[in-house]
Amino acid sequence: MRYVSTRGGVAPIGFAEAVMMGLGTDGGLLVPASLPRLDAATLKAWSRLRFQDLALEVMSPFVGEAIPRDHLAALIERSYASFTHPEVTPVIRLGDQWLLELFHGPTAAFKDVALQLLGNLFEFLLERDGGRLNIVGATSGDTGSAAIAGVRGKSRIHIFILHPEGRVSPIQERQMTTVLDANVHNIAILGTFDDGQRIVKQLFGDLEFKRELSLGAVNSINWARILAQMVYYFYAWGRVAAGDPHRRVSFAVPTGNFGDVFAGYLAKRMGLPVDRLVIATNRNDILSRFVHTGRYAAGEVYPTLSPAMDIQIASNFERYLYFLLGEDPAAVRGLLDDMARTGSLAVDAGHQAQVRADFDALAASDAETLDQIRATFAQSQYILDPHTAIGVRAAQGQADTICLATAHPAKFGEAVTQAIGREAPPPPSLQGLLEKETRCARLEASADAIRAHIRATLAAASQ
Ligand SMILES: *Cc1c(COP(=O)(O)O)cnc(C)c1O
């Protein structure tokens, strides 16, 4: 399988190169040059596989020659051994819907499904092909801890994660700072999340520094993350279809950066019998406005009870535009130019009809989010986290819908307490965090201070 950029400026590359490149060198996102098409017999066979075996089947054509099949199988086994549920991503019945629980990994949120695999892929490719990787990123909470959990203890990799001191929840802070592996470097900056993002941008903009230290991003746009996320769409369908390869289902997906729901879109393009993909957003509703109007216009970012979805520019959206526009990089560049010039882009009537055929969308307010947590708890004694609650709300009244449960409710105790008057019992990975030993540097919020700290830390580590 070869990969190309949505902007057309990367000569076709293989899987290993695409994973190590992350963002395309032309600023675009990497996408497969073609998609496998599945027939009913294949789907039927896949519907009976355990999660890890299914992952091997789904990923193999996309990995191609880059990694021998038995190595890939071992890598997948290792990645999902860190999940506490035997099914990895179980599907449960919730009223007249289904819930796909994606939060049984080490940080209790769905990003583990992709980042546990990505950490192992990085390690395997660096050991085989040589090189090293220093990941630098800023986090407002969830992504940082999942990225750290993905690469802790891995050889040839260091990770530096900046968080704003005192501005992430105590649990989120401890999920990062209690990881004591020698290659994990937490930095509390005396500033805001925006300061952290600005500093990371400055460091990546310093091309000399970037090359010298082999800097890599937290890779929210890495192709391997999409690939890992496609697996559970097939898995969930298999649990519900129970051997009937023509059984159709819909998915409701709590959405921020469009990565998760895009994985579902690709699964559908490959032939998974999906009726509707429902984009569920909070008040930051750029995507739902796009589905309803065909216009994509950034607005202000509002803080909500579902903070992992407080996003205005969805970084994976460009991948969808590429497929919507018939895999035509020039057309993608045209729309992105509009966006850069005017702050918005719009698709024509024909494409807008296609968008509506591809997706439904619903945005929920904080009050509606709390109402849904309350209603589901009253009905089923099941506690939803605020992100999942938005998905469940979007799925309401639609038959045969599987809602993606993206976080464990114990991670968002404040919202849950507001809704039902108590917190959810924490899973083992979140227990005892406040008593554990921590390690974290405190630095002023300046690129110079962070740059010097990264240099000194790496120099000490290589002694
Ligand atoms: C990251 C995240 C999301 C949004 O996923 P995207 O791939 O950015 O759309 C939803 N819920 C939770 C809990 C998350 O951490």
Side-chain angles (χ1 to χ4, degrees), residues 109-111 142-143 229 254-261 308-309 311 385 387 406-407 412:
F110 93 96
K111 292 188 176 68
D142 267 4
T143 309
Q229 289 170 185
T255 303
N257 266 321
F258 205 76
D260 210 0
V261 73
M309 291 155 44
I311 282 159
D385 98 277
H387 306 81
T406 53
F412 297 94

